[in-house]
Amino acid sequence: MKKNENFGEWYNEIVDTAELSDKRYPIKGMNVWTPYGWKIMMMIDSFTRRELNATGHDEVNFPLLIPETEFKKEKDHIKGFDSEVYWVTKAGDNELDVPLVVRPTSETAMYPMFSLWIRSHQDLPLKIFQIVNTFRYETKQTRSFIRVREIHFFESHTCHATEEEAQCQIEEDIVMLKKISKELCLPYFLLTRTDWDKFPGAHYTVGIDTVMPNGRTLQIGSIHHYRTNFSIPYDITYEDLDGEHKHVHQTTYGMSERLLGAVVGVHGDDSGLILPPPIAPFQIVVIPIISKKEPELVLDVCKMVTDILTKDGMRVKLDDRNMRPGAKYYDWEMRGVPLRLEIGARDIENKLISFARRDTGEKGTIDLSTLTASVDLLLNDISFTLYSRALNVQESMVTDITDMSEAPAETDETKDDVILRFGWCGSEKCGHTFEETTGYKILGTPYGADPVKCECVVCKAQSIKQAYAAHTM
Ligand code: ZN
């Protein structure tokens, strides 16, 4: 299957053949994490944990079920999730007095507890996170990692004394995002969502969107400022220095298994998956090229190379299966292993190792005496190349328009799409007119960007805001 001919089918095939997940489980949209896919997800989670721990967040684990009475305390929040939640209404033979919601997200599970935990200004800031599965009844066509009904994700929740301190938290979240996405070699747009598209209950939402090679955007995460929108209904207050009781200001930041979906879609090619070295379960595969000449020696050198690289902290697989090398190459290429080392009798004579890069297909040799340093350099360069390549694709898809008539007509998923950038006065009326006329969804305005002098694409009023719009995955 060719990636640029039918992206959707190519994506499904890669997920299957690389054995990332098994969607034959008898509930639609609830897939089995098979070992290889789960290993990659755990690597991604380890970077999330690293960043959250380094910024003083504590990991917690809240119950999966939320009483209806707590779930319904914030009215916008319920409206936003009502059609998506799974309910538990029976236990054994008994109807429950209070029906339970299977968490679609954990605000309403956590905030009743926050109101017990927070007493004084000394309890602030409160910064916690959890990495759990959430459940949303997705009615559109499901797709592994991208649109599922059981979602593996992390969510951080923070409480602060003031709105400004909560705002600082958002800046910290953006720094963490930068570090996590760097490991995945994923570029992204950071866009303040429109008021009609923000998270239910949020003061504002910053969406994190990456671009798939078919030009459709994929939201891989989001950051929200809640102000006191939840702390008022959940009565989360603290006593300040003057003995006055005040409501806390809250934020959340979350990303999901869509990160893995983005890695598959953005980096993969017609030969299969291409994994960024930081998240590859095996960064290097060592393949012995056995000939009649000195087969024992070749295998011994392969073992030695594997041991040295492993000892130096790399994840290495020695493939000594009794198969043709070509069949092994095919296998590991499909699974996206970033670097392949091949060692034969002639290489050993010359004190060299042959390598092949998964990202560019480039082949060459490295000197056995500088093994670790050379391999390290190659892995870093693979990361750099993957990121630059993805950034080029993302930038090349942005098309500036000054009138709605310039927006290309809606295409189906097999065709190349574009991302539109245009002036917008910011009014909801013009926003809706734009979406209805062009069929593109407004993703928002660049978060923290400098003002740009422009004209609204709908009403032609002078503006200083540009907006982005796209078709979404
Ligand atoms: Zn306008």
Side-chain angles (χ1 to χ4, degrees), residues 278-293:
I279 59 163
F282 299 119
Q283 298 166 305
I284 303 142
V285 59
V286 178
I287 298 189
I289 310 296
I290 309 277
S291 58
K292 280 178 202 135
K293 202 174 153 196

PDB file of all heavy atoms in Angstrom, residues 278-293:
ATOM      1  N   PRO A 278      14.502   7.800  20.214  1.00  0.00           N
ATOM      2  CA  PRO A 278      14.190   7.829  21.659  1.00  0.00           C
ATOM      3  C   PRO A 278      13.036   6.915  22.078  1.00  0.00           C
ATOM      4  O   PRO A 278      12.976   6.496  23.227  1.00  0.00           O
ATOM      5  CB  PRO A 278      13.837   9.297  21.924  1.00  0.00           C
ATOM      6  CG  PRO A 278      14.528  10.053  20.840  1.00  0.00           C
ATOM      7  CD  PRO A 278      14.460   9.155  19.633  1.00  0.00           C
ATOM      8  N   ILE A 279      12.097   6.605  21.156  1.00  0.00           N
ATOM      9  CA  ILE A 279      10.953   5.785  21.570  1.00  0.00           C
ATOM     10  C   ILE A 279      10.971   4.388  20.944  1.00  0.00           C
ATOM     11  O   ILE A 279      10.016   3.626  21.094  1.00  0.00           O
ATOM     12  CB  ILE A 279       9.605   6.471  21.253  1.00  0.00           C
ATOM     13  CG1 ILE A 279       9.466   6.744  19.746  1.00  0.00           C
ATOM     14  CG2 ILE A 279       9.444   7.752  22.044  1.00  0.00           C
ATOM     15  CD1 ILE A 279       8.030   7.040  19.326  1.00  0.00           C
ATOM     16  N   ALA A 280      12.045   4.053  20.225  1.00  0.00           N
ATOM     17  CA  ALA A 280      12.111   2.734  19.584  1.00  0.00           C
ATOM     18  C   ALA A 280      12.448   1.660  20.617  1.00  0.00           C
ATOM     19  O   ALA A 280      13.445   1.792  21.329  1.00  0.00           O
ATOM     20  CB  ALA A 280      13.161   2.750  18.482  1.00  0.00           C
ATOM     21  N   PRO A 281      11.625   0.600  20.740  1.00  0.00           N
ATOM     22  CA  PRO A 281      11.966  -0.481  21.672  1.00  0.00           C
ATOM     23  C   PRO A 281      13.350  -1.065  21.357  1.00  0.00           C
ATOM     24  O   PRO A 281      14.107  -1.388  22.255  1.00  0.00           O
ATOM     25  CB  PRO A 281      10.870  -1.515  21.441  1.00  0.00           C
ATOM     26  CG  PRO A 281       9.709  -0.731  20.931  1.00  0.00           C
ATOM     27  CD  PRO A 281      10.316   0.379  20.108  1.00  0.00           C
ATOM     28  N   PHE A 282      13.653  -1.208  20.062  1.00  0.00           N
ATOM     29  CA  PHE A 282      15.013  -1.530  19.622  1.00  0.00           C
ATOM     30  C   PHE A 282      15.485  -0.386  18.735  1.00  0.00           C
ATOM     31  O   PHE A 282      14.863  -0.096  17.721  1.00  0.00           O
ATOM     32  CB  PHE A 282      15.053  -2.840  18.827  1.00  0.00           C
ATOM     33  CG  PHE A 282      14.581  -4.021  19.626  1.00  0.00           C
ATOM     34  CD1 PHE A 282      13.479  -4.755  19.209  1.00  0.00           C
ATOM     35  CD2 PHE A 282      15.223  -4.387  20.800  1.00  0.00           C
ATOM     36  CE1 PHE A 282      13.018  -5.837  19.954  1.00  0.00           C
ATOM     37  CE2 PHE A 282      14.770  -5.466  21.543  1.00  0.00           C
ATOM     38  CZ  PHE A 282      13.666  -6.191  21.123  1.00  0.00           C
ATOM     39  N   GLN A 283      16.576   0.251  19.135  1.00  0.00           N
ATOM     40  CA  GLN A 283      17.103   1.364  18.330  1.00  0.00           C
ATOM     41  C   GLN A 283      17.998   0.833  17.214  1.00  0.00           C
ATOM     42  O   GLN A 283      18.147   1.462  16.178  1.00  0.00           O
ATOM     43  CB  GLN A 283      17.901   2.311  19.231  1.00  0.00           C
ATOM     44  CG  GLN A 283      17.039   2.937  20.320  1.00  0.00           C
ATOM     45  CD  GLN A 283      17.869   3.599  21.392  1.00  0.00           C
ATOM     46  OE1 GLN A 283      18.747   2.961  21.991  1.00  0.00           O
ATOM     47  NE2 GLN A 283      17.594   4.860  21.657  1.00  0.00           N
ATOM     48  N   ILE A 284      18.593  -0.332  17.498  1.00  0.00           N
ATOM     49  CA  ILE A 284      19.569  -0.896  16.570  1.00  0.00           C
ATOM     50  C   ILE A 284      19.302  -2.390  16.438  1.00  0.00           C
ATOM     51  O   ILE A 284      19.064  -3.063  17.444  1.00  0.00           O
ATOM     52  CB  ILE A 284      20.996  -0.716  17.137  1.00  0.00           C
ATOM     53  CG1 ILE A 284      21.277   0.773  17.394  1.00  0.00           C
ATOM     54  CG2 ILE A 284      22.047  -1.323  16.224  1.00  0.00           C
ATOM     55  CD1 ILE A 284      22.079   1.020  18.631  1.00  0.00           C
ATOM     56  N   VAL A 285      19.351  -2.895  15.215  1.00  0.00           N
ATOM     57  CA  VAL A 285      19.318  -4.345  15.036  1.00  0.00           C
ATOM     58  C   VAL A 285      20.653  -4.762  14.411  1.00  0.00           C
ATOM     59  O   VAL A 285      21.152  -4.107  13.488  1.00  0.00           O
ATOM     60  CB  VAL A 285      18.090  -4.801  14.210  1.00  0.00           C
ATOM     61  CG1 VAL A 285      18.071  -4.156  12.827  1.00  0.00           C
ATOM     62  CG2 VAL A 285      18.057  -6.315  14.092  1.00  0.00           C
ATOM     63  N   VAL A 286      21.243  -5.812  14.974  1.00  0.00           N
ATOM     64  CA  VAL A 286      22.531  -6.307  14.475  1.00  0.00           C
ATOM     65  C   VAL A 286      22.272  -7.595  13.704  1.00  0.00           C
ATOM     66  O   VAL A 286      21.659  -8.539  14.234  1.00  0.00           O
ATOM     67  CB  VAL A 286      23.503  -6.578  15.653  1.00  0.00           C
ATOM     68  CG1 VAL A 286      24.829  -7.150  15.126  1.00  0.00           C
ATOM     69  CG2 VAL A 286      23.743  -5.303  16.451  1.00  0.00           C
ATOM     70  N   ILE A 287      22.723  -7.630  12.454  1.00  0.00           N
ATOM     71  CA  ILE A 287      22.459  -8.793  11.607  1.00  0.00           C
ATOM     72  C   ILE A 287      23.765  -9.425  11.132  1.00  0.00           C
ATOM     73  O   ILE A 287      24.546  -8.790  10.420  1.00  0.00           O
ATOM     74  CB  ILE A 287      21.555  -8.392  10.424  1.00  0.00           C
ATOM     75  CG1 ILE A 287      20.224  -7.912  11.016  1.00  0.00           C
ATOM     76  CG2 ILE A 287      21.372  -9.569   9.458  1.00  0.00           C
ATOM     77  CD1 ILE A 287      19.128  -7.666  10.068  1.00  0.00           C
ATOM     78  N   PRO A 288      24.005 -10.667  11.544  1.00  0.00           N
ATOM     79  CA  PRO A 288      25.217 -11.358  11.093  1.00  0.00           C
ATOM     80  C   PRO A 288      25.062 -11.768   9.628  1.00  0.00           C
ATOM     81  O   PRO A 288      24.014 -12.286   9.230  1.00  0.00           O
ATOM     82  CB  PRO A 288      25.278 -12.605  11.987  1.00  0.00           C
ATOM     83  CG  PRO A 288      24.067 -12.587  12.860  1.00  0.00           C
ATOM     84  CD  PRO A 288      23.164 -11.500  12.429  1.00  0.00           C
ATOM     85  N   ILE A 289      26.094 -11.492   8.835  1.00  0.00           N
ATOM     86  CA  ILE A 289      26.102 -11.939   7.441  1.00  0.00           C
ATOM     87  C   ILE A 289      27.014 -13.172   7.405  1.00  0.00           C
ATOM     88  O   ILE A 289      28.227 -13.069   7.284  1.00  0.00           O
ATOM     89  CB  ILE A 289      26.637 -10.842   6.491  1.00  0.00           C
ATOM     90  CG1 ILE A 289      25.924  -9.502   6.740  1.00  0.00           C
ATOM     91  CG2 ILE A 289      26.500 -11.288   5.031  1.00  0.00           C
ATOM     92  CD1 ILE A 289      24.427  -9.495   6.455  1.00  0.00           C
ATOM     93  N   ILE A 290      26.377 -14.339   7.568  1.00  0.00           N
ATOM     94  CA  ILE A 290      27.130 -15.586   7.709  1.00  0.00           C
ATOM     95  C   ILE A 290      27.502 -16.138   6.329  1.00  0.00           C
ATOM     96  O   ILE A 290      26.637 -16.317   5.479  1.00  0.00           O
ATOM     97  CB  ILE A 290      26.289 -16.644   8.470  1.00  0.00           C
ATOM     98  CG1 ILE A 290      25.736 -16.079   9.782  1.00  0.00           C
ATOM     99  CG2 ILE A 290      27.079 -17.928   8.672  1.00  0.00           C
ATOM    100  CD1 ILE A 290      26.638 -16.089  10.967  1.00  0.00           C
ATOM    101  N   SER A 291      28.781 -16.370   6.123  1.00  0.00           N
ATOM    102  CA  SER A 291      29.200 -17.050   4.893  1.00  0.00           C
ATOM    103  C   SER A 291      29.981 -18.302   5.312  1.00  0.00           C
ATOM    104  O   SER A 291      30.107 -18.582   6.501  1.00  0.00           O
ATOM    105  CB  SER A 291      30.059 -16.110   4.059  1.00  0.00           C
ATOM    106  OG  SER A 291      31.169 -15.697   4.833  1.00  0.00           O
ATOM    107  N   LYS A 292      30.514 -19.019   4.329  1.00  0.00           N
ATOM    108  CA  LYS A 292      31.241 -20.237   4.690  1.00  0.00           C
ATOM    109  C   LYS A 292      32.507 -19.894   5.464  1.00  0.00           C
ATOM    110  O   LYS A 292      33.005 -20.667   6.267  1.00  0.00           O
ATOM    111  CB  LYS A 292      31.594 -21.018   3.408  1.00  0.00           C
ATOM    112  CG  LYS A 292      30.396 -21.820   2.916  1.00  0.00           C
ATOM    113  CD  LYS A 292      30.729 -22.542   1.618  1.00  0.00           C
ATOM    114  CE  LYS A 292      29.462 -22.865   0.857  1.00  0.00           C
ATOM    115  NZ  LYS A 292      29.564 -22.545  -0.569  1.00  0.00           N
ATOM    116  N   LYS A 293      33.010 -18.699   5.172  1.00  0.00           N
ATOM    117  CA  LYS A 293      34.254 -18.259   5.802  1.00  0.00           C
ATOM    118  C   LYS A 293      33.971 -17.802   7.232  1.00  0.00           C
ATOM    119  O   LYS A 293      33.200 -16.860   7.448  1.00  0.00           O
ATOM    120  CB  LYS A 293      34.805 -17.091   4.969  1.00  0.00           C
ATOM    121  CG  LYS A 293      36.273 -16.842   5.135  1.00  0.00           C
ATOM    122  CD  LYS A 293      36.714 -15.741   4.139  1.00  0.00           C
ATOM    123  CE  LYS A 293      37.924 -15.015   4.668  1.00  0.00           C
ATOM    124  NZ  LYS A 293      38.142 -13.749   3.948  1.00  0.00           N
TER     125      LYS A 293
END
